[in-house]
Amino acid sequence: QVQLVESGGGLVQAGGSLRLSCTASGRTLGNYPMGWFRQAPGKERDFVAAVMWTDGRTGIADSVKGRFTISRDNGKNTLYLQMNSLKPEDTAVYYCAAARRTFSIATMPAAYDSWGQGTQVTVSS
């Protein structure tokens, strides 16, 4: 099992930027996807972006394409989500997740085995 700890959330005005971090510890990550999901109150948990830990392939949701960028630092076991041009509809709890049963970018929450505690992102209009 891998432990994940997110940081970097907060309150920002529309048009602003935030960078989320997720530090992993525990098992070796291997070439599995790590991703970011978000969940707004009363809504399902939605895919935001994912990256294959070893080869760096990425996938990103259409709703954030061109505004958000996912990256990772293998040496620091840390995953990042750079969020620019934030909109009020980006307001949600953002979760980091790690998979160990799939060797491709996965967009469904059920494909992921480990989750962080979440970090709140609030974008004011």
Side-chain angles (χ1 to χ4, degrees), residues 63-116:
S63 59
V64 303
K65 195 170 293 183
R67 301 188 297 122
F68 291 11
T69 303
I70 189 170
S71 63
R72 88 277 192 226
D73 185 328
N74 298 67
K76 295 182 178 179
N77 271 6
T78 301
L79 181 71
Y80 301 102
L81 185 68
Q82 178 66 43
M83 305 185 294
N84 299 328
S85 302
L86 282 160
K87 305 176 181 180
E89 50 264 44
D90 295 318
T91 295
V93 177
Y94 283 70
Y95 296 92
C96 172
R100 61 176 179 175
R101 293 174 286 124
T102 179
F103 295 98
S104 60
I105 295 294
T107 62
M108 298 298 294
Y112 292 80
D113 304 281
S114 300
W115 293 85

Side-chain angles (χ1 to χ4, degrees), residues 15-37:
S17 298
L18 283 173
R19 188 176 80 157
L20 306 183
S21 301
C22 172
T23 301
S25 61
R27 65 168 172 85
T28 302
L29 293 172
N31 198 33
Y32 299 110
M34 285 193 68
W36 290 99
F37 288 77

Side-chain angles (χ1 to χ4, degrees), residues 51-69:
V51 62
M52 299 303 295
W53 192 252
T54 300
D55 66 30
R57 286 176 289 142
T58 61
I60 195 158
D62 288 342
S63 59
V64 303
K65 195 170 293 183
R67 301 188 297 122
F68 291 11
T69 303

